[in-house]
Structures are given as structure tokens and as C-alpha cells.
Amino acid sequence: MLPPGSTIGILGGGQLGRMMALAAAPLGLRVHVYAPEDESPAAEVAARHTRGGYDDRPALAAFAASVDAITYEFENVPAACAALLAGLKPVRPGPKALEVAQDRLTEKDFVRALGIGTAPYAAAATAEEARAAFAALGAKAAIVKTRRLGYDGKGQARVASAEEAAAAVAAFAAPCILEGLVAFRQEISVVAARGADGRIEAYDPVENRHREGILRETLAPARLGAGAGAEAWRIAGAILEALDYVGVIGVEMFALPGGGLLVNELAPRVHNSGHWTMDACAVSQFEQHVRAVAGWPLKPALRFADCAMENLIGDEVERWPAIAAEPNAALHLYGKGEARPGRKMGHVNRLFPMGGRP
Ligand code: AMP
């Protein structure tokens, strides 16, 4: 267990790092943020900040020397950066989680190998392969996704023919996968944590609503049929074990009309669909993550209220005065200057008694 006064290094300067730093403070743990930007939401609330690139080996080595353990708030940490740091200090979650989650093909192969369902998929690096992949899926429509570096719906295209699939892969000019379209009933996620001692704590599955590929709203708990919640937990637990994971993970799933679950995506970090835990649970996902990274025991992931989390995207943040006046709303703003379209500026957790969410 890292004692109070120890320092956790965080790669990345966004709002997730900010909320981790804010959660570390009450435990007496300090945070050193490493990010390429001059100013960032995380650096603003961290004890220390280094501005550096993820390929700047001397700067990364100096950063590692100044901290006791290292984590990250985004999954696209370059593999060479993670390997360098892991040779110097504990990196949690470990490089295996990054390797799996950074590539949609590796991720789907990994999930399937655990006997867990995914959408049907096929790899396609060229227009030719895209035509073949579309035919192999045998579906009327598919989604082309770049294997790497997609987020918030970017690097994705819906296609309705082999020719459209070929054109999409050619336009991305990057290795892709094609996924059969899933006619899901709901999108859900499980945010769960595994401690350094192997103990797992999972929050209640939640229901997520997206618009234009961006998460808009999370409802906690999800309205699931009998057995689906336990199955969602089982899936998250199997993934944590297989990765020998330490920290918080977000597992996005599709709930099917018949009751089955398919895994869509893994996020090897704290997750936007876990922000509700800040106000509705005995321990937030951010404190839970800091505990895991610092080798502290996890706390039970108990929920004591229903919650509807709303992301404040772009100029929606201008509603802050009205939200600040709502009695049951907890407002979280990220300190970002410019409210550009599509930018996550903050979120609000609206609380309801257990079982009382409208
Ligand atoms: P992703 O980046 O993989 O999380 O995809 C972004 C969003 O696109 C998801 O949250 C779903 O709403 C939708 N989506 C992705 N993959 C599929 C699929 N195979 N079938 C249906 N919808 C999908």
C-alpha cells in the first residue's frame, strides 16, 4: 500500500485525470500529471505537472522517477511509452490491457476467446478485403471502424453494401474491422475494479444513451431483465481476471431483445458511464481507481441512490446557473475554457431515492 504522501503519476490531462486527482487528495495521495498540453483540466488540480510528449523518453524517465505508481486516463498511450514506464515503476492497469483495448480486432478476438459474445466481425485492411468481409458477415448493413484510435463515434461509418464498405476502408486508409449491425434493446455498461490483491468490485450495470457517437446520458441502474445484471457482472469479472487487471475498467455491452449480452468495447480506465458513482455510491469510480493503483483495498461498490447522469456537451454548459439551483443535482465542471461543439465540458448527476427514478 502506498502510504499517504506518495505520488501517483497520471498520463493524460483531461477531465478523467482531473477527477482522479480530486479523488486522490482526501486519501493524502499526490498526483503528478504528464500531458502534452501547456494547461489541462487535470494539471489545474494536480500537485505537479510535466508538459511532455509521449515519445519524449528523457522526460518520461524523469516523470517515472518522481512518482510511486503510474496510471493513465486515456487508452491510446503509445505501447513504447507504456513499456518504458513499466520498466521503471508499476503501471496500473498493465500494458496488456492497453494492448488489447487499443486495437478493435485484438479486443474482439480476446473477448471471444473468453467465450463471451461480440457483434459478428471481420478484419479488412484494403478495399478488396472490405468487399470480402461484407460478404462474409452476410448482413444487409455493417459498421466499418478503424482498428485503432477511434473514439466518440470518430473513425466509423455505416455501410449498406460491399461497395460502400470498400469505399469506407479506402477513405480511412487504415486497417479496419467490419461489424455486423446489432439490433440491441439497450446499450449498457459495467464499471468494475480489480484491486492489487485480486478482489473485484463491480458497480450496478447502467444504461447509456448516445447521440452522434457521444455519450449523452447514463441511467443507474439499468432496467434489465432477470439475470442480465448478474451476467453483465460475470462478463466484466472474467475480463478483469484474464487481463490480471489492476484498476477500474469500463465494459460496454449491447443488451439484446432476447436477454443476451454482447461486449462492444473495453475502456481500460475510468469511464464516462461511471461518473454517476461520484454522488450515488459509497465510493466513486475515481477513488476506487486510485485505491487500486495505490495498492489500497477496494471499497464495496454500493449504490445508495438512483441516478441520471447527463453530459454537458459544448454550449450546453451554459445551463450551469439553472443546474446549480436544482436541489437534487450535483454539478461537475471540468474547467475547460472554450465550449467547442462536441467537447465534454462537464456533467450533472441527478439523484433520486432507490427505485424512484422517473
Ligand atoms: P463504439 O465506438 O464501438 O463504442 O461505437 C459507438 C456507438 O455506435 C455505440 O455506442 C453504438 O451506439 C453504435 N454501434 C457500434 N457498433 C455497433 C454495432 N456493431 N451494431 C450496432 N450499433 C453499433
Side-chain angles (χ1 to χ4, degrees), residues 138-227:
K140 288 203 183 71
I143 304 189
V144 177
K145 301 181 182 178
T146 55
R147 281 174 57 175
R148 292 180 165 273
L149 298 173
Y151 70 98
D152 284 350
K154 294 190 176 62
Q156 299 192 10
R158 288 192 179 220
V159 297
S161 68
E163 278 321 304
E164 282 182 25
V169 171
F172 285 133
C176 292
I177 62 168
L178 264 72
E179 285 182 32
L181 266 188
V182 176
F184 53 77
R185 190 166 67 101
Q186 288 158 322
E187 291 194 71
I188 68 161
S189 58
V190 173
V191 171
R194 187 166 175 272
D197 60 357
R199 174 165 150 203
I200 291 176
E201 282 291 337
Y203 293 99
D204 282 340
V206 295
E207 204 170 316
N208 299 315
R209 296 185 184 153
H210 296 85
R211 209 158 57 235
E212 287 148 8
I214 303 178
L215 181 69
R216 291 296 169 148
E217 203 180 14
T218 294
L219 301 180
R223 296 160 299 180
L224 291 173

Coordinates of all heavy atoms in Angstrom, one line a residue, residues 138-227:
G138 N -22.5 -11.5 -44.2 CA -23.8 -11.9 -44.6 C -24.9 -11.1 -44.1 O -26.1 -11.5 -44.0
A139 N -24.6 -9.8 -43.8 CA -25.6 -8.9 -43.3 C -26.0 -7.9 -44.3 O -25.3 -7.7 -45.3 CB -25.1 -8.2 -42.0
K140 N -27.1 -7.2 -44.1 CA -27.5 -6.2 -45.1 C -26.8 -4.9 -44.8 O -26.6 -4.0 -45.7 CB -29.0 -5.9 -44.9 CG -29.9 -7.0 -45.4 CD -31.3 -6.4 -45.8 CE -32.3 -7.5 -46.2 NZ -32.7 -8.4 -45.1
A141 N -26.3 -4.7 -43.6 CA -25.6 -3.5 -43.2 C -24.5 -3.8 -42.2 O -24.6 -4.8 -41.5 CB -26.6 -2.5 -42.6
A142 N -23.5 -2.9 -42.2 CA -22.4 -3.2 -41.3 C -21.8 -1.8 -40.8 O -22.2 -0.8 -41.4 CB -21.3 -4.0 -42.0
I143 N -21.0 -1.8 -39.8 CA -20.3 -0.6 -39.4 C -18.8 -0.9 -39.7 O -18.2 -1.9 -39.3 CB -20.5 -0.3 -37.9 CG1 -22.0 -0.2 -37.7 CG2 -19.7 1.0 -37.6 CD1 -22.3 0.4 -36.3
V144 N -18.2 0.0 -40.4 CA -16.7 0.0 -40.6 C -16.1 0.8 -39.5 O -16.5 2.0 -39.3 CB -16.3 0.5 -42.0 CG1 -14.8 0.5 -42.1 CG2 -17.0 -0.3 -43.1
K145 N -15.1 0.3 -38.8 CA -14.4 1.0 -37.7 C -12.9 0.9 -37.9 O -12.5 -0.2 -38.2 CB -14.8 0.4 -36.3 CG -16.3 0.5 -36.0 CD -16.5 -0.1 -34.6 CE -18.0 -0.1 -34.2 NZ -18.2 -0.7 -32.9
T146 N -12.2 2.0 -37.8 CA -10.8 1.8 -37.8 C -10.4 1.0 -36.6 O -11.0 1.1 -35.5 CB -10.1 3.2 -37.7 OG1 -10.5 3.9 -36.6 CG2 -10.4 4.0 -39.0
R147 N -9.3 0.1 -36.8 CA -8.9 -0.7 -35.7 C -8.4 0.1 -34.5 O -8.6 -0.3 -33.3 CB -7.9 -1.8 -36.1 CG -8.5 -2.9 -36.9 CD -7.5 -3.8 -37.5 NE -6.6 -4.4 -36.5 CZ -5.7 -5.4 -36.8 NH1 -5.6 -5.8 -38.1 NH2 -4.9 -5.8 -35.9
R148 N -7.7 1.2 -34.8 CA -7.1 2.0 -33.8 C -7.6 3.4 -33.8 O -8.0 3.9 -34.8 CB -5.5 2.0 -34.0 CG -4.9 0.7 -33.8 CD -3.4 0.7 -34.1 NE -2.8 -0.5 -33.5 CZ -2.4 -0.6 -32.3 NH1 -2.5 0.4 -31.4 NH2 -1.9 -1.7 -31.8
L149 N -7.5 4.0 -32.6 CA -7.6 5.5 -32.5 C -9.0 6.1 -32.8 O -9.1 7.3 -32.9 CB -6.6 6.2 -33.3 CG -5.1 5.9 -33.0 CD1 -4.2 6.6 -34.0 CD2 -4.8 6.4 -31.6
G150 N -10.0 5.2 -32.8 CA -11.4 5.8 -32.9 C -11.9 6.2 -31.6 O -11.5 5.6 -30.6
Y151 N -12.7 7.2 -31.4 CA -13.4 7.5 -30.2 C -14.6 8.3 -30.4 O -14.7 9.0 -31.5 CB -12.4 8.2 -29.2 CG -12.1 9.6 -29.6 CD1 -12.8 10.7 -29.1 CD2 -11.2 9.9 -30.6 CE1 -12.5 12.0 -29.5 CE2 -10.9 11.2 -31.0 CZ -11.6 12.2 -30.5 OH -11.3 13.5 -30.9
D152 N -15.6 8.3 -29.5 CA -16.8 9.1 -29.6 C -17.4 9.0 -31.1 O -17.8 10.1 -31.6 CB -16.5 10.6 -29.3 CG -16.4 10.7 -27.7 OD1 -16.7 9.8 -27.0 OD2 -16.0 11.8 -27.3
G153 N -17.4 7.8 -31.7 CA -18.0 7.7 -33.0 C -17.1 8.1 -34.1 O -17.5 8.0 -35.3
K154 N -15.9 8.6 -33.8 CA -15.0 9.0 -34.9 C -14.3 7.8 -35.5 O -14.1 6.8 -34.7 CB -14.0 10.0 -34.4 CG -14.6 11.3 -34.0 CD -13.6 12.4 -33.8 CE -14.3 13.8 -33.5 NZ -15.1 13.7 -32.3
G155 N -14.0 7.8 -36.8 CA -13.4 6.6 -37.3 C -14.4 5.5 -37.6 O -14.0 4.3 -37.5
Q156 N -15.6 5.9 -37.8 CA -16.7 4.9 -38.0 C -17.6 5.3 -39.2 O -17.9 6.5 -39.3 CB -17.6 4.7 -36.8 CG -16.8 4.2 -35.6 CD -17.7 3.8 -34.4 OE1 -18.9 3.7 -34.6 NE2 -17.1 3.6 -33.3
A157 N -18.1 4.3 -39.9 CA -19.0 4.6 -41.0 C -20.0 3.4 -41.1 O -19.6 2.3 -41.1 CB -18.3 4.8 -42.3
R158 N -21.2 3.8 -41.3 CA -22.3 2.7 -41.6 C -22.3 2.5 -43.1 O -22.3 3.4 -43.8 CB -23.6 3.2 -41.1 CG -23.7 3.2 -39.6 CD -25.1 3.3 -39.0 NE -25.0 3.3 -37.6 CZ -25.8 2.7 -36.8 NH1 -26.9 2.1 -37.3 NH2 -25.7 2.7 -35.5
V159 N -22.3 1.2 -43.4 CA -22.3 0.9 -44.9 C -23.4 -0.1 -45.1 O -23.8 -0.9 -44.3 CB -21.0 0.3 -45.3 CG1 -19.9 1.4 -45.2 CG2 -20.6 -0.9 -44.5
A160 N -24.0 -0.1 -46.4 CA -25.1 -0.9 -46.7 C -24.8 -1.8 -47.9 O -25.7 -2.4 -48.5 CB -26.4 -0.1 -46.9
S161 N -23.6 -1.8 -48.4 CA -23.2 -2.7 -49.5 C -21.7 -3.0 -49.4 O -21.0 -2.3 -48.8 CB -23.6 -2.1 -50.8 OG -22.7 -1.0 -51.0
A162 N -21.3 -4.0 -50.2 CA -19.9 -4.3 -50.3 C -19.1 -3.1 -50.8 O -18.0 -2.8 -50.4 CB -19.6 -5.6 -51.1
E163 N -19.7 -2.4 -51.8 CA -19.0 -1.3 -52.4 C -18.8 -0.2 -51.4 O -17.8 0.5 -51.4 CB -19.8 -0.8 -53.7 CG -19.5 -1.6 -54.9 CD -18.0 -2.0 -55.1 OE1 -17.1 -1.1 -55.0 OE2 -17.7 -3.2 -55.2
E164 N -19.9 0.1 -50.6 CA -19.8 1.2 -49.6 C -18.7 0.8 -48.6 O -18.0 1.7 -48.1 CB -21.1 1.4 -48.9 CG -22.1 2.2 -49.8 CD -23.4 2.4 -49.0 OE1 -23.4 2.4 -47.8 OE2 -24.4 2.6 -49.7
A165 N -18.6 -0.5 -48.3 CA -17.6 -0.9 -47.3 C -16.2 -0.7 -47.9 O -15.3 -0.2 -47.2 CB -17.8 -2.4 -47.0
A166 N -16.1 -1.0 -49.1 CA -14.8 -0.9 -49.8 C -14.4 0.6 -49.8 O -13.2 1.0 -49.5 CB -14.8 -1.4 -51.2
A167 N -15.4 1.5 -50.1 CA -15.1 2.9 -50.1 C -14.7 3.5 -48.8 O -13.8 4.3 -48.6 CB -16.3 3.7 -50.7
A168 N -15.4 3.0 -47.7 CA -15.1 3.4 -46.4 C -13.7 3.1 -45.9 O -13.0 3.9 -45.4 CB -16.2 2.9 -45.4
V169 N -13.3 1.8 -46.2 CA -12.0 1.4 -45.8 C -10.9 2.2 -46.6 O -9.9 2.6 -46.0 CB -11.8 -0.2 -46.0 CG1 -10.4 -0.6 -45.8 CG2 -12.7 -0.9 -45.0
A170 N -11.2 2.4 -47.9 CA -10.3 3.2 -48.7 C -10.1 4.6 -48.1 O -9.1 5.1 -48.0 CB -10.7 3.2 -50.1
A171 N -11.3 5.2 -47.7 CA -11.3 6.5 -47.2 C -10.5 6.6 -45.9 O -9.8 7.6 -45.6 CB -12.7 7.1 -47.1
F172 N -10.7 5.6 -45.0 CA -10.0 5.7 -43.7 C -8.5 5.5 -43.9 O -7.7 5.9 -43.1 CB -10.5 4.6 -42.7 CG -11.9 5.0 -42.1 CD1 -12.9 4.1 -42.1 CD2 -12.1 6.3 -41.6 CE1 -14.1 4.4 -41.5 CE2 -13.3 6.6 -41.1 CZ -14.4 5.7 -41.0
A173 N -8.1 4.8 -45.0 CA -6.7 4.5 -45.3 C -6.0 3.9 -44.1 O -4.9 4.3 -43.8 CB -6.0 5.7 -45.8
A174 N -6.7 3.0 -43.4 CA -6.1 2.4 -42.2 C -6.7 1.1 -42.0 O -7.8 0.8 -42.5 CB -6.4 3.3 -40.9
P175 N -6.0 0.2 -41.3 CA -6.6 -1.2 -41.1 C -8.0 -1.0 -40.3 O -8.0 -0.2 -39.3 CB -5.6 -1.9 -40.2 CG -4.3 -1.2 -40.5 CD -4.7 0.2 -40.8
C176 N -9.0 -1.7 -40.7 CA -10.3 -1.6 -40.2 C -10.9 -2.9 -39.8 O -10.3 -4.0 -40.1 CB -11.3 -1.0 -41.2 SG -10.9 0.7 -41.6
I177 N -12.0 -2.9 -39.0 CA -12.8 -4.1 -39.0 C -14.2 -3.7 -39.4 O -14.7 -2.5 -39.3 CB -12.9 -4.7 -37.5 CG1 -13.5 -3.8 -36.5 CG2 -11.6 -5.2 -37.1 CD1 -13.9 -4.5 -35.2
L178 N -14.9 -4.7 -39.9 CA -16.4 -4.5 -40.2 C -17.1 -5.3 -39.1 O -16.8 -6.4 -38.8 CB -16.7 -5.2 -41.6 CG -16.7 -4.2 -42.8 CD1 -15.3 -3.8 -43.1 CD2 -17.4 -4.9 -44.0
E179 N -18.2 -4.6 -38.6 CA -19.0 -5.3 -37.7 C -20.4 -5.4 -38.2 O -20.9 -4.4 -38.7 CB -19.1 -4.5 -36.4 CG -17.8 -4.6 -35.5 CD -18.0 -3.7 -34.2 OE1 -19.1 -3.6 -33.7 OE2 -17.0 -3.2 -33.8
G180 N -21.1 -6.5 -38.0 CA -22.5 -6.6 -38.3 C -23.3 -5.7 -37.4 O -22.9 -5.6 -36.2
L181 N -24.3 -5.1 -37.9 CA -25.2 -4.2 -37.1 C -25.9 -5.0 -36.0 O -26.6 -6.0 -36.4 CB -26.2 -3.5 -37.9 CG -25.8 -2.1 -38.5 CD1 -27.1 -1.5 -39.1 CD2 -25.3 -1.2 -37.4
V182 N -25.8 -4.7 -34.8 CA -26.6 -5.4 -33.7 C -27.9 -4.6 -33.5 O -27.9 -3.4 -33.2 CB -25.7 -5.4 -32.4 CG1 -26.5 -6.1 -31.3 CG2 -24.4 -6.2 -32.7
A183 N -29.0 -5.3 -33.5 CA -30.3 -4.7 -33.2 C -30.5 -4.8 -31.7 O -31.2 -5.6 -31.2 CB -31.4 -5.4 -33.9
F184 N -29.8 -4.0 -30.9 CA -29.8 -4.1 -29.5 C -31.1 -3.4 -28.9 O -31.7 -2.5 -29.5 CB -28.5 -3.5 -28.9 CG -28.2 -2.1 -29.3 CD1 -28.9 -1.0 -28.8 CD2 -27.2 -1.8 -30.2 CE1 -28.6 0.3 -29.2 CE2 -26.9 -0.6 -30.6 CZ -27.6 0.5 -30.1
R185 N -31.4 -3.8 -27.7 CA -32.5 -3.3 -27.0 C -32.0 -2.0 -26.2 O -32.7 -1.0 -26.1 CB -33.1 -4.3 -26.0 CG -34.4 -3.9 -25.4 CD -35.1 -5.1 -24.8 NE -34.3 -5.6 -23.6 CZ -34.6 -5.4 -22.4 NH1 -35.7 -4.7 -22.1 NH2 -33.9 -5.8 -21.4
Q186 N -30.8 -2.2 -25.6 CA -30.2 -1.1 -24.8 C -28.7 -1.2 -25.0 O -28.2 -2.3 -25.2 CB -30.5 -1.4 -23.3 CG -31.8 -1.2 -22.8 CD -32.0 -2.0 -21.5 OE1 -31.5 -3.1 -21.4 NE2 -32.7 -1.4 -20.6
E187 N -28.1 -0.1 -24.8 CA -26.6 -0.1 -24.5 C -26.4 0.0 -23.1 O -27.0 0.9 -22.4 CB -26.0 1.0 -25.3 CG -26.0 0.8 -26.8 CD -25.1 1.8 -27.5 OE1 -23.9 1.6 -27.4 OE2 -25.6 2.7 -28.1
I188 N -25.6 -0.9 -22.5 CA -25.3 -0.9 -21.1 C -23.8 -0.9 -20.9 O -23.1 -1.2 -21.8 CB -26.0 -2.0 -20.3 CG1 -25.4 -3.4 -20.7 CG2 -27.5 -2.1 -20.6 CD1 -25.6 -4.5 -19.7
S189 N -23.4 -0.6 -19.7 CA -22.0 -0.8 -19.3 C -21.9 -1.2 -17.9 O -22.8 -1.0 -17.1 CB -21.2 0.5 -19.6 OG -21.8 1.5 -18.9
V190 N -20.8 -1.9 -17.6 CA -20.4 -2.2 -16.3 C -19.1 -1.5 -16.0 O -18.1 -1.7 -16.8 CB -20.3 -3.7 -16.0 CG1 -19.7 -4.0 -14.6 CG2 -21.6 -4.4 -16.2
V191 N -19.0 -0.7 -15.0 CA -17.8 -0.2 -14.5 C -17.4 -1.0 -13.3 O -18.2 -1.2 -12.4 CB -17.9 1.3 -14.1 CG1 -16.7 1.8 -13.4 CG2 -18.2 2.1 -15.4
A192 N -16.2 -1.6 -13.3 CA -15.8 -2.5 -12.3 C -14.3 -2.3 -12.0 O -13.6 -1.6 -12.8 CB -16.0 -4.0 -12.7
A193 N -13.9 -2.7 -10.8 CA -12.5 -2.5 -10.4 C -11.9 -3.8 -9.9 O -12.6 -4.7 -9.4 CB -12.4 -1.5 -9.3
R194 N -10.6 -4.0 -10.1 CA -9.9 -5.1 -9.5 C -8.7 -4.6 -8.7 O -8.0 -3.7 -9.3 CB -9.4 -6.1 -10.6 CG -8.8 -7.4 -10.0 CD -8.7 -8.4 -11.2 NE -8.1 -9.7 -10.7 CZ -6.7 -9.8 -10.8 NH1 -6.0 -8.9 -11.2 NH2 -6.2 -11.0 -10.3
G195 N -8.6 -5.0 -7.5 CA -7.5 -4.5 -6.7 C -6.2 -5.2 -6.9 O -6.2 -6.3 -7.5
A196 N -5.2 -4.7 -6.3 CA -3.8 -5.4 -6.4 C -3.9 -6.8 -5.8 O -3.1 -7.7 -6.1 CB -2.8 -4.5 -5.8
D197 N -4.8 -7.0 -4.9 CA -5.0 -8.3 -4.2 C -5.9 -9.2 -5.0 O -6.2 -10.3 -4.5 CB -5.5 -8.1 -2.8 CG -6.9 -7.4 -2.8 OD1 -7.4 -7.0 -3.8 OD2 -7.5 -7.2 -1.7
G198 N -6.4 -8.8 -6.1 CA -7.3 -9.6 -7.0 C -8.8 -9.5 -6.6 O -9.6 -10.1 -7.3
R199 N -9.1 -8.7 -5.6 CA -10.5 -8.6 -5.3 C -11.2 -7.7 -6.4 O -10.7 -6.7 -6.8 CB -10.7 -8.0 -3.9 CG -12.1 -7.7 -3.6 CD -12.3 -7.4 -2.1 NE -13.4 -6.5 -1.9 CZ -13.6 -5.7 -0.8 NH1 -12.7 -5.8 0.1 NH2 -14.6 -4.9 -0.7
I200 N -12.4 -8.1 -6.7 CA -13.2 -7.4 -7.7 C -14.4 -6.8 -7.1 O -15.1 -7.4 -6.3 CB -13.6 -8.4 -8.9 CG1 -12.4 -8.8 -9.7 CG2 -14.7 -7.7 -9.8 CD1 -12.6 -9.8 -10.8
E201 N -14.7 -5.5 -7.5 CA -15.9 -4.8 -7.1 C -16.5 -4.2 -8.3 O -15.9 -3.5 -9.0 CB -15.6 -3.7 -6.1 CG -15.3 -4.1 -4.7 CD -16.5 -4.7 -4.0 OE1 -17.6 -4.3 -4.4 OE2 -16.3 -5.5 -3.0
A202 N -17.8 -4.5 -8.6 CA -18.5 -4.0 -9.8 C -19.6 -3.2 -9.4 O -20.4 -3.5 -8.5 CB -18.9 -5.2 -10.6
Y203 N -19.8 -2.0 -10.0 CA -21.0 -1.2 -9.8 C -22.1 -1.8 -10.6 O -22.0 -2.6 -11.5 CB -20.7 0.2 -10.3 CG -19.7 1.0 -9.5 CD1 -18.3 1.1 -10.0 CD2 -20.0 1.6 -8.3 CE1 -17.4 1.8 -9.3 CE2 -19.0 2.3 -7.6 CZ -17.7 2.4 -8.1 OH -16.8 3.0 -7.4
D204 N -23.3 -1.4 -10.2 CA -24.5 -1.8 -10.9 C -24.4 -1.5 -12.4 O -23.9 -0.4 -12.7 CB -25.8 -1.1 -10.4 CG -26.2 -1.7 -9.0 OD1 -25.9 -2.9 -8.8 OD2 -27.0 -1.1 -8.3
P205 N -24.8 -2.4 -13.3 CA -24.9 -2.1 -14.7 C -25.8 -0.9 -14.9 O -26.8 -0.7 -14.2 CB -25.5 -3.3 -15.3 CG -25.3 -4.4 -14.3 CD -25.3 -3.8 -13.0
V206 N -25.4 -0.1 -15.9 CA -26.1 1.2 -16.2 C -26.5 1.2 -17.7 O -25.9 0.5 -18.5 CB -25.3 2.4 -15.9 CG1 -25.0 2.5 -14.4 CG2 -23.9 2.5 -16.6
E207 N -27.4 2.1 -18.0 CA -27.9 2.2 -19.3 C -27.4 3.4 -20.0 O -27.5 4.5 -19.3 CB -29.4 2.2 -19.2 CG -30.2 1.8 -20.3 CD -31.7 1.7 -19.9 OE1 -32.0 1.2 -18.8 OE2 -32.5 2.2 -20.7
N208 N -26.9 3.4 -21.2 CA -26.3 4.5 -21.8 C -27.0 4.9 -23.1 O -27.4 4.1 -23.9 CB -24.8 4.2 -22.2 CG -24.0 3.9 -20.9 OD1 -24.1 4.5 -19.9 ND2 -23.2 2.8 -21.0
R209 N -27.2 6.3 -23.2 CA -27.8 6.8 -24.4 C -26.8 7.7 -25.1 O -26.2 8.6 -24.5 CB -29.0 7.6 -24.1 CG -30.1 6.8 -23.5 CD -31.4 7.6 -23.2 NE -32.4 6.7 -22.6 CZ -33.3 7.2 -21.8 NH1 -33.4 8.5 -21.6 NH2 -34.2 6.4 -21.2
H210 N -26.6 7.4 -26.4 CA -25.6 8.1 -27.2 C -26.3 9.0 -28.2 O -27.4 8.7 -28.7 CB -24.7 7.2 -28.0 CG -23.8 6.3 -27.1 ND1 -24.2 5.2 -26.5 CD2 -22.5 6.5 -26.6 CE1 -23.3 4.6 -25.8 NE2 -22.2 5.4 -25.8
R211 N -25.7 10.1 -28.6 CA -26.1 10.9 -29.8 C -24.9 11.2 -30.5 O -23.9 11.7 -30.0 CB -26.9 12.1 -29.3 CG -27.9 12.6 -30.3 CD -29.1 13.4 -29.7 NE -28.6 14.6 -29.1 CZ -28.9 15.0 -27.8 NH1 -29.6 14.2 -27.0 NH2 -28.4 16.1 -27.2
E212 N -24.9 11.0 -31.8 CA -23.8 11.3 -32.7 C -22.5 10.7 -32.2 O -21.5 11.3 -32.2 CB -23.6 12.8 -32.9 CG -24.7 13.4 -33.8 CD -25.0 14.8 -33.5 OE1 -24.3 15.4 -32.6 OE2 -26.0 15.4 -34.0
G213 N -22.7 9.4 -31.6 CA -21.5 8.7 -31.2 C -21.0 9.2 -29.8 O -20.0 8.6 -29.3
I214 N -21.6 10.2 -29.2 CA -21.1 10.7 -27.9 C -22.1 10.3 -26.8 O -23.3 10.5 -27.0 CB -20.9 12.2 -28.0 CG1 -20.0 12.6 -29.1 CG2 -20.4 12.7 -26.6 CD1 -19.8 14.1 -29.2
L215 N -21.6 9.8 -25.7 CA -22.5 9.5 -24.6 C -23.2 10.8 -24.1 O -22.5 11.8 -23.9 CB -21.6 8.9 -23.4 CG -22.5 8.5 -22.2 CD1 -23.4 7.3 -22.5 CD2 -21.6 8.2 -21.0
R216 N -24.5 10.7 -24.0 CA -25.3 11.8 -23.5 C -25.8 11.6 -22.1 O -25.8 12.5 -21.3 CB -26.5 12.1 -24.5 CG -26.1 12.5 -25.8 CD -25.5 13.9 -25.7 NE -24.8 14.3 -27.0 CZ -24.8 15.6 -27.3 NH1 -25.2 16.5 -26.6 NH2 -24.1 15.9 -28.4
E217 N -26.3 10.4 -21.9 CA -27.0 10.2 -20.6 C -26.7 8.8 -20.1 O -26.6 7.8 -20.9 CB -28.5 10.3 -20.9 CG -29.2 10.7 -19.6 CD -30.7 10.8 -19.9 OE1 -31.2 10.4 -21.0 OE2 -31.4 11.3 -19.0
T218 N -26.5 8.6 -18.8 CA -26.4 7.3 -18.2 C -27.4 7.2 -17.1 O -27.6 8.1 -16.3 CB -25.0 7.1 -17.6 OG1 -24.0 7.1 -18.6 CG2 -24.9 5.8 -16.8
L219 N -28.2 6.1 -17.2 CA -29.2 5.8 -16.1 C -28.7 4.7 -15.2 O -28.4 3.6 -15.7 CB -30.5 5.4 -16.8 CG -31.1 6.4 -17.8 CD1 -32.4 5.9 -18.3 CD2 -31.4 7.8 -17.1
A220 N -28.7 5.0 -13.9 CA -28.2 4.0 -13.0 C -29.4 3.7 -12.0 O -29.9 4.7 -11.4 CB -27.0 4.5 -12.2
P221 N -29.8 2.5 -11.8 CA -29.3 1.3 -12.5 C -30.0 1.1 -13.8 O -31.0 1.8 -14.1 CB -29.7 0.2 -11.5 CG -31.0 0.6 -10.9 CD -30.8 2.1 -10.8
A222 N -29.4 0.2 -14.7 CA -30.0 -0.1 -16.0 C -31.3 -0.9 -15.7 O -31.4 -1.6 -14.7 CB -29.1 -1.0 -16.8
R223 N -32.3 -0.7 -16.6 CA -33.5 -1.5 -16.5 C -33.4 -2.8 -17.3 O -33.6 -2.8 -18.5 CB -34.7 -0.7 -17.0 CG -35.0 0.6 -16.2 CD -35.7 1.6 -17.0 NE -35.0 2.0 -18.2 CZ -35.4 2.9 -19.1 NH1 -36.6 3.5 -18.9 NH2 -34.7 3.3 -20.1
L224 N -32.9 -3.8 -16.6 CA -32.6 -5.1 -17.2 C -33.5 -6.2 -16.8 O -34.1 -6.1 -15.7 CB -31.1 -5.5 -16.9 CG -30.0 -4.6 -17.4 CD1 -28.7 -5.1 -16.8 CD2 -30.0 -4.7 -18.9
G225 N -33.7 -7.1 -17.7 CA -34.5 -8.3 -17.4 C -33.7 -9.2 -16.4 O -32.6 -9.0 -16.1
A226 N -34.5 -10.1 -15.9 CA -33.9 -11.0 -14.8 C -32.7 -11.7 -15.3 O -32.6 -12.2 -16.4 CB -35.0 -12.1 -14.5
G227 N -31.7 -11.7 -14.5 CA -30.4 -12.5 -14.8 C -29.4 -11.7 -15.6 O -28.2 -12.0 -15.6

